[in-house]
Amino acid sequence: MKNIELGRAGDKVSTVILGLMRIPQLETVENVRSLLGAAEESGINMLDIADCYSKGKAEELLGRTFEANPGLRGKFFLQSKCGIVKDPFYFFDFSKKHIIDAVEGSLRRLRTDHLDSLLLHRPDALMDPEEVCEAFNTLRESGKVRSFGVSNFNPAQMRLLQNALDDAIICDQVQLSVCHTPMIDASFNVNMDNDPSVMRDGGVLEYCRQHGIAVQAWSVMQHGFFKGVFIGDPHYLRLNSVLDRIASEYGVSSTAIAVAWVLRIPGKTQAVIGTTKPERVKSSAKAGDIKLTREQWYEIYLAAGNDLP
Ligand SMILES: NC(=O)c1ccc[n+]([C@@H]2O[C@H](COP(=O)([O-])OP(=O)(O)OC[C@H]3O[C@@H](n4cnc5c(N)ncnc54)[C@H](OP(=O)(O)O)[C@@H]3O)[C@@H](O)[C@H]2O)c1
């Protein structure tokens, strides 16, 4: 498994991250322990979660798993997110009070004394960068959070926030899969009069690469916004056929090739996998050892239905 350096202390973390948004489906501590065991066995040493996943139930179940298995928490770089409010309705809150209260809640549910990183989950149009800085400083100085990042931010938003922060933003977690490529499409279709030329993200990949910020791809197996998995989907016959052929060349699953496709994007790129199946964790993790050739990467991009100018 390939590693990258992440965070203030330069921790070595795996390029494949285990995302735990869906673990409430697993219901028991034993099932979550098996999932984490598969991650450990595969060289995955980073976990991603958020306070809002199933309204805290995902963190609660992970926390009970840590409690029941002494030593387990210390094996992982643990990342959570805050800033999405679900009650009394859905909105975003980057106020100092909300950020600090959210972290206190996460630590309580996770039965741990610190997060290795905390991400601001989705941009809050009312963000006051100085206030966010105060919240981050309080959390860092109290030892409750070691490093900070963002999610679903564009470069202008990262710049605005970074200017006020004492800490470097370590990552931007964004949606990216072979079937969700607006960030890549725009980079090919510069100055063209077509839909893919519309730059919807402001150049996230280029900005992150230039500033050493890790790009963490979420929903690497989905098309659309949680519309479903493209593996085995009859709408993606050509893609599946290419993935299957390349998978057999490497002796891995097509899922691993889809993850490897994301990891081939230059820079500090990570893939957050969201499976709840230990066997699929192990097969997906093989992506961390694969570097697709340029031809393979382009063939997969085209087979997903994209065109090049
Ligand atoms: N920052 C953000 O805004 C944001 C948003 C969404 C998610 N995330 C993070 O990203 C993580 C991953 O997101 P995600 O769960 O949407 O990712 P995903 O890995 O694209 O999707 C996981 C889902 O796809 C299924 N799946 C995966 N591989 C499959 C295959 N080969 N065949 C059939 N089904 C397959 C899984 O089923 P099984 O469980 O049965 O394998 C699971 O239901 C989350 O856990 C969370 O940590 C972040």
Side-chain angles (χ1 to χ4, degrees), residues 33-90:
R33 179 67 188 95
S34 302
L35 191 72
L36 299 190
E40 272 182 272
E41 256 182 62
S42 317
I44 297 175
N45 68 353
M46 179 162 178
L47 304 177
D48 181 76
I49 200 158
D51 61 345
C52 66
Y53 291 159
S54 301
K55 294 190 177 173
K57 289 201 184 95
E59 285 188 337
E60 177 69 29
L61 183 53
L62 179 61
R64 286 200 281 116
T65 308
F66 286 152
E67 190 174 54
N69 295 277
L72 185 62
R73 157 70 183 93
K75 292 184 173 169
F76 294 98
F77 185 104
L78 178 61
Q79 172 169 284
S80 191
K81 313 186 212 64
C82 71
I84 293 183
V85 180
K86 291 205 167 164
D87 280 321
F89 56 90
Y90 181 83

Side-chain angles (χ1 to χ4, degrees), residues 18-22 25 48-50 53 81 84 119 121-122 151-152 173-175 217-222 225-226 228-229 231-232 254-255 272-277 280 284:
L18 181 61
L20 301 174
M21 177 177 75
R22 298 174 196 263
Q25 293 169 24
D48 181 76
I49 200 158
Y53 291 159
K81 313 186 212 64
I84 293 183
L119 312 191
H121 206 152
R122 278 202 170 271
S151 176
N152 305 303
Q173 192 173 107
V174 286
Q175 186 178 7
W218 58 262
S219 287
V220 286
M221 303 310 298
Q222 313 280 322
F225 192 67
F226 301 116
V229 176
I231 298 282
S254 54
T255 307
V272 193
I273 59 168
T275 180
T276 55
K277 304 248 168 27
R280 213 170 257 154
S284 306

